[in-house]
Amino acid sequence: MSIETIKNYKLTHMAQNLCQSIGAALLGFFQSIGALAMFIGKAASHCFRPPFYPRLILKQFIDIGYYSLPVVGMTALFTGMVLALQSYTGFTRFNAEGAIAGVVALSVTRELAPVLAGLMVAGRVGASIAAEIGTMRVTEQIDALVTLSVNPFKYLIAPRVIAGTLMLPLLVLTADIIGIYGGYIVSIYNLGFSSGSYVEQTWDILTKIDVLSGLYKAAVFGFIVSMMGCYHGFNSGRGAQGVGTATTYAVVSASILILIFNYILTQVFFS
Amino acid sequence: MSMPKIELNNVKKSFGNKVVLDGVDLTVNKGESMVIIGGSGTGKSVMLKSVLGLITPDSGSIKIDGQKITTYSQKQRDGLMGQFGMLFQGGALFDSMPVWQNIAFGLIQSKKMGRDEARAIACKKLQQVGLNANTGDMYPAELSGGMQKRVSLARAIATNPDIIFFDEPTTGLDPIMADVINDLIVNCVKDLGATALTITHDMASARKIADKVAMIYEGKIIWSGDVSALYDSGNSYVEQFIHGRAEGPITKHANFKA
């Protein structure tokens, strides 16, 4: 064999290898998208078909909704406060201090409350769902459910998805109020605005769609967070490492999806 | 001869390129206690989970009472599960609920029994496995390994199943506790008149609870017969396994492949 043919052979071999790994990666990617889509379809359909487990749904309402209040409330409060402060330092340059109330109200209801609450809940709830269901998978508790004639989709997943989707809008509504109140506190006590005109400006600028769009977003984000937690937990790998990885994936994928869907939904609502 | 309770015919299952079950044939008669022995990674667990329906085999048929269950719908399968009891290797107790709810889980959730009635049965089952009723209010994490196994056994027998599966019931227990569990298994199975399918690599346990023994090796049943015939099987693979020798055809074969 001449050196030339050997070189050619090596080159084709490399090209083949490259194509092979790209192909394998693509196949893997589509396979996981397909698996996820099937999981979501199955999980969502079980949310509407009996038997239901009201006791478990109630427990998830409390776990996901009530216990997330402090972290979401703190996030909203300080976001509203810093927003007022930042707008003030910026807007005084254009003598536009009067717009602060509006900026705080619109930013909080449309964007910051749903997105930040979604991200905080992804960290708090998404992680705990993935870790809990992942541990149940690893210790065969999910198999045990099946052998006791209980469908894990109905027993474990449906209550969490229902609670996530319904509770996040309520959390965001609370965050809206607290966030705007945070802006109010800074504006009145720190920047010396008059209380009456600040409240009036807030009411003037807010429309129904500002608040509602935020709540719709919140429902979608709640669905994403609980679904990602369930999916990654349910398909957790073996052992402590498997559960750790599942938890990481749940939080990361939920956070990224929240940001992507936030853009898509904003486009849908305001264009 | 009556219809076999469990019948596996040429069951195959692979994960990716790895062939785990390579044509398993097995028959278990009603009221019989069958023990499957075999080393780690020979397909014992996969076979058990295939019969339970937790894993769907690639080909072959699995029949329970003459009914082919591999083609069952989800609903039929849920109904079938009502006849099964399963003792998981690690116990698989639900750690979010107290012991009595674990035992009563099947009764409350699938047999739709009232909580008080289910609790009474749970207490009775607790006593049957040698634990006192106070244990019912404790959580699984507060119990020792042996106690968890007992609770797990109580849960497996709570719904009076026809068929009970045991996945390595004595693994991780001290020899005395292992023997206690073996005795409990023998008694529980006898009391219920149930059919039992056990997988284990603990020979003491196999000798105690088996009526019949089958050995699985590389995804196939290579020997089966009465437990009394186990020690003169004339099969060199079985000989090596039951005596736990490092030298023999199993390790020789493995070395060749490696």
Side-chain angles (χ1 to χ4, degrees), chain B residues 219-237:
Chain B
K220 282 195 180 94
I221 301 287
I222 54 162
W223 184 86
S224 72
D226 284 341
V227 65
S228 53
L230 182 62
Y231 280 80
D232 36 33
S233 63
N235 183 314
S236 54
Y237 289 86

Side-chain angles (χ1 to χ4, degrees), chain A residues 144-191:
Chain A
L145 274 180
V146 177
T147 62
L148 293 163
S149 312
V150 169
N151 188 328
F153 274 86
K154 286 196 199 305
Y155 190 84
L156 291 177
I157 293 172
R160 287 170 171 79
V161 173
I162 292 172
T165 314
L166 296 182
M167 280 297 111
L168 211 61
L170 289 183
L171 280 171
V172 166
L173 194 63
T174 321
D176 283 349
I177 296 165
I178 296 176
I180 291 175
Y181 185 63
Y184 173 88
I185 294 175
V186 171
S187 303
I188 306 306
Y189 298 106
N190 195 353
L191 307 174

Side-chain angles (χ1 to χ4, degrees), chain A residues 53 55 136 139-141 143-150 155, chain B residues 49 54 78 81-82 88 92-95 97 105 109-110 155:
Chain A
Y53 295 95
R55 200 186 277 259
M136 290 187 75
T139 55
E140 296 184 308
Q141 289 180 50
D143 287 342
L145 274 180
V146 177
T147 62
L148 293 163
S149 312
V150 169
Y155 190 84
Chain B
K49 287 186 174 171
L54 296 172
D78 285 347
M81 284 296 183
F88 285 90
L93 295 170
F94 304 123
D95 41 30
M97 47 182 92
F105 192 86
Q109 299 296 350
S110 53
R155 181 174 73 180

